[in-house]
Amino acid sequence: MSEVTSAPHGWAACYAQYRGLLILRDADVAFGAVAEAKYEHEMAVQRAEAQCGSRQEVLAQREVKAAQRAMIAAEDHHHATYGDPLEAAAIAAVLTPAPDLAAVELKMGLIRAFELDNRVGMPRRPMEIIEQDVAALSGIPDCRDQYPAIAVDQAAAHLINADQLAETIAPLINPDRHTATGLRQAMTLLGILMDEQRRAAEALGGPQ
């Protein structure tokens, strides 16, 4: 198993990890293994077309079939490497407190790109995250602070978030499917889970 490095801490590190995975994903499609497999498939099809009279004959050629299997395998590997890990990196960035309003705008972009507002397993409501960031950075009151009587409900919400984070972490550490990237994301999300538990205690007046 590959050695796992320390999980990123803070907004800058989380967002940098997301951007790094995004760049590698796009590079793989542009000129990496996926691009190479698609090129080889296209070449195999062209060679077969020069010898065969119909599309059905072309697709039945052994070389074309082998190239098709190789292309599917490259696409499957691409998704396993950059699909779920990229979304997990985006979620980790969105859940991390923003250092400034520009970072909040980047969070909104991630929420839209991955449709996190419609994601059932999202640990916290995106609107709640944005409200909390804006309240901390701009002085605009967080509307939740106006209702101290719902402290118990807030604590319960944080604990629900922690449970949902645990569900998100579970597939990333599956012994049969985990990757080094997925394990790094799991470590990041685990830190956020612990922060949710701490916030639950604070809402109930526990140690800060």
Side-chain angles (χ1 to χ4, degrees), residues 91 94-96 107-108 111 115-133 142-144 150 153-154 157-158 160-162 164-165 192 196 199:
I91 291 173
V94 169
L95 292 172
T96 303
K107 282 190 181 189
M108 291 178 63
I111 292 167
E115 298 183 348
L116 298 182
D117 52 323
N118 296 321
R119 192 179 187 279
V120 175
M122 185 64 183
R124 297 176 63 193
R125 290 177 57 250
M127 187 61 193
E128 175 189 345
I129 295 169
I130 299 302
E131 284 178 340
Q132 187 172 10
D133 281 337
D142 185 340
C143 63
R144 293 169 299 156
I150 64 170
D153 289 339
Q154 290 179 336
H158 286 303
I160 290 172
N161 293 338
Q164 291 175 337
L165 274 166
I192 298 171
E196 286 295 318
R199 292 182 180 185

Side-chain angles (χ1 to χ4, degrees), residues 28-137:
D28 192 39
V29 172
F31 41 75
V34 170
E36 291 172 1
K38 287 184 176 180
Y39 174 79
E40 292 300 329
H41 179 259
E42 290 173 2
M43 292 299 100
V45 169
Q46 289 182 19
R47 287 190 291 269
E49 286 176 340
Q51 301 172 0
C52 301
S54 69
R55 184 67 176 175
Q56 185 175 2
E57 287 182 282
V58 168
L59 298 178
Q61 296 302 302
R62 181 178 301 176
E63 181 187 11
V64 173
K65 287 183 176 181
Q68 176 75 11
R69 288 193 297 270
M71 183 173 67
I72 292 173
E75 290 173 342
D76 287 345
H77 181 267
H78 173 86
H79 179 73
T81 304
Y82 303 112
D84 291 341
L86 185 65
E87 182 175 281
I91 291 173
V94 169
L95 292 172
T96 303
D100 51 44
L101 293 177
V104 178
E105 292 178 338
L106 290 174
K107 282 190 181 189
M108 291 178 63
L110 293 176
I111 292 167
R112 294 190 187 102
F114 291 90
E115 298 183 348
L116 298 182
D117 52 323
N118 296 321
R119 192 179 187 279
V120 175
M122 185 64 183
R124 297 176 63 193
R125 290 177 57 250
M127 187 61 193
E128 175 189 345
I129 295 169
I130 299 302
E131 284 178 340
Q132 187 172 10
D133 281 337
V134 170
L137 295 166

